[in-house]
Amino acid sequence: MSKRVKLVKNNICGKWIRHVRKGLYDKQHPKMTQEELSAKLQVLGLKIDRTALSRIESGARILSDIEVACFASALNVPLDFLFFGVDGTLPEITEFVSLVAEEEARI
């Protein structure tokens, strides 16, 4: 049997985007809906609808570096917060991948 890596989450930033959007960053960052954040992103030239935003926040959708920069700007938070979060550390890789056993092809 061989093992391969399977992605469990497709981004690091989604949970921190949700954190800020829900007004948990600080008192100067009020709570906003996904629609409101989507509108702010569209003003910056990034077309992300509510469904895509939901997938980003849940970790189901991959984010490009340009999209992360747009989110930081729209949310008015430092770019590094979207990667490092409240505690200032990157998450363990085990939070994002799992090993999946798969049978080797028989010759």
Side-chain angles (χ1 to χ4, degrees):
M1 291 226 183
S2 66
K3 293 184 179 183
R4 65 181 174 89
V5 174
K6 179 181 177 185
L7 288 175
V8 177
K9 295 269 186 184
N10 291 302
N11 71 62
I12 293 171
C13 305
K15 96 177 192 182
W16 300 117
I17 290 168
R18 177 181 285 148
H19 180 85
V20 177
R21 185 182 62 75
K22 290 195 169 221
L24 303 173
Y25 184 74
D26 64 18
K27 291 181 182 180
Q28 285 74 39
H29 289 79
K31 187 176 183 178
M32 71 176 85
T33 66
Q34 288 178 332
E35 290 83 8
E36 290 168 333
L37 178 53
S38 178
K40 283 186 167 198
L41 292 167
Q42 287 186 16
V43 168
L44 295 172
L46 185 64
K47 291 187 178 185
I48 302 262
D49 63 14
R50 194 209 55 78
T51 303
L53 183 52
S54 178
R55 290 178 44 79
I56 290 167
E57 288 183 351
S58 71
R61 183 184 176 281
I62 294 172
L63 280 171
S64 73
D65 53 354
I66 294 168
E67 289 174 327
V68 175
C70 286
F71 272 99
S73 179
L75 293 167
N76 195 27
V77 295
L79 184 62
D80 62 340
F81 178 80
L82 296 182
F83 289 102
F84 301 107
V86 175
D87 58 3
T89 60
L90 279 172
E92 294 293 322
I93 193 71
T94 54
E95 291 183 38
F96 294 92
V97 297
S98 65
L99 292 178
V100 178
E102 105 184 345
E103 288 187 37
E104 289 185 70
R106 296 187 185 236
I107 299 177

